[in-house]
Amino acid sequence: PFGLRVSIPTPSLLTVRHPAAKVARRSRGVMGQSESAAQLDGGDPLASSPEVIARATHSPQAAVRVPAKAKELQARLLALEQSLAAPTSIRLVGFAYKELVNWQRTHEWDQDLQSVLEQLDVGQYPAWRRQALEEAYRLFYEDVANKGDQEIEDLSEPPTSEEIGFRRLNEQLVSGRAAAQSVMAGKYEDRSCTNFGSRRWEYELVKVPPAVEGGMCGRKIKAGSFFQDAMLGKLSGSLPMGGCCSRRAVEARKARGPFLLPEGSMAAPKRPPPMDKPQLRT
């Protein structure tokens, strides 16, 4: 009664290239909340106390570095969300997504990534909204592929099952029903405190008409309800920030893919590339 239950451990919807996408590529001979997040809050939730950030990362420089990185990442997420809400150009959507992918690949092994994610979690892009944004991009890619538009070459394929750590996807995405729906319901569930219960955020992806004649439909993110077990609600305010039931929604060491969402239970441990193995980025 509280939203869609995601229960099928199925690989990513687009792990394999979409057939329509293949046709478009062959034809060119190429090898192979309802408003934007910027309008949700009046203040700047990323401007947290420098002293708190510095203590969290054991470095005075983090008081400057962490908010700057968080704002860089937020800007890329916002650009993608806005381009998907009212797509005027497939190329612009593709560019926004590639910028996000590049940021994740550049900073994936940064030592302060945990603090950056915590800044997002208390700001405009918590994990539930990043998941909704990933789903919106998957739907947009599916729409373009089904249309057979040759501009699909301007879009990078959504992350594969392996890239997201075999995290379960929304069943509607897996079944292929979502693309035709005017509203797709979704949810993000945090079970990091399994001894005390879970927290759940519900949302909707609302399909909107094309912003330009002959263009693609957009998807807007609409926030829904938040639920948490009664016991967890009582404990969350009394436990340490770094412990169970704290604000930490995603652990950096388990964050996968461009949207830095938690890996699935079947994921192998993350390991840095061989050249970066001696030390993490700073």
Side-chain angles (χ1 to χ4, degrees):
F2 296 108
L4 175 68
R5 179 178 297 276
V6 181
S7 59
I8 302 178
T10 308
S12 170
L13 173 66
L14 294 168
T15 298
V16 180
R17 293 184 186 274
H18 192 284
K22 291 182 179 179
V23 172
R25 286 182 171 85
R26 284 198 298 267
S27 67
R28 293 182 63 182
V30 179
M31 294 180 62
Q33 305 129 74
S34 60
E35 299 300 325
S36 68
Q39 300 172 329
L40 296 180
D41 300 301
D44 184 357
L46 296 180
S48 297
S49 166
E51 291 79 12
V52 172
I53 298 171
R55 287 200 302 271
T57 56
H58 309 289
S59 169
Q61 289 79 12
V64 175
R65 185 175 63 239
V66 170
K69 287 184 179 179
K71 288 184 177 182
E72 285 180 1
L73 179 53
Q74 176 183 273
R76 285 157 176 77
L77 291 165
L78 178 58
L80 179 59
E81 180 174 347
Q82 290 178 334
S83 67
L84 288 170
T88 58
S89 166
I90 294 175
R91 180 171 298 178
L92 288 178
V93 174
F95 177 79
Y97 179 71
K98 289 174 184 177
E99 285 290 291
L100 180 63
V101 171
N102 291 338
W103 194 98
Q104 181 261 335
R105 290 176 177 173
T106 300
H107 298 284
E108 182 178 11
W109 298 104
D110 289 4
Q111 290 180 326
D112 55 8
L113 181 60
Q114 183 65 60
S115 296
V116 172
L117 293 178
E118 289 172 4
Q119 290 276 284
L120 292 186
D121 287 334
V122 298
Q124 295 173 336
Y125 278 99
W128 75 262
R129 196 174 191 94
R130 301 200 303 273
Q131 176 176 288
L133 186 54
E134 179 190 280
E135 292 174 350
Y137 182 76
R138 290 182 182 277
L139 287 172
F140 183 79
Y141 186 92
E142 183 81 353
D143 288 344
V144 176
N146 286 334
K147 187 178 179 181
D149 199 310
Q150 294 185 356
E151 285 189 87
I152 197 170
E153 286 293 344
D154 295 321
L155 293 178
S156 298
E157 292 193 22
T160 65
S161 294
E162 183 177 4
E163 289 170 338
I164 64 174
F166 301 99
R167 169 171 44 86
R168 294 180 180 180
L169 292 179
N170 189 317
E171 184 179 354
Q172 295 171 91
L173 287 172
V174 176
S175 67
R177 300 193 306 268
Q181 295 176 340
S182 59
V183 177
M184 189 192 83
K187 69 176 181 179
Y188 175 83
E189 193 161 12
D190 174 21
R191 292 184 174 274
S192 58
C193 289
T194 54
N195 291 334
F196 302 107
S198 64
R199 299 179 294 177
R200 185 174 73 253
W201 292 261
E202 296 181 350
Y203 56 87
E204 292 178 338
L205 293 180
V206 181
K207 194 173 187 178
V208 297
V212 296
E213 185 177 356
M216 305 299 301
C217 290
R219 295 295 193 300
K220 283 192 175 183
I221 300 172
K222 182 178 180 180
S225 301
F226 169 74
F227 302 90
Q228 69 177 359
D229 293 346
M231 179 64 70
L232 182 57
K234 293 178 181 179
L235 292 174
S236 59
S238 60
L239 294 179
M241 282 295 299
C244 180
C245 306
S246 69
R247 290 189 304 180
R248 181 179 300 180
V250 178
E251 293 183 71
R253 65 187 180 89
K254 295 183 178 181
R256 299 291 187 103
F259 299 88
L260 295 166
L261 292 166
E263 63 190 18
S265 59
M266 298 176 62
K270 282 181 64 176
R271 301 188 185 281
M275 292 184 62
D276 297 338
K277 197 170 184 178
Q279 61 181 2
L280 297 176
R281 288 175 53 87
T282 59

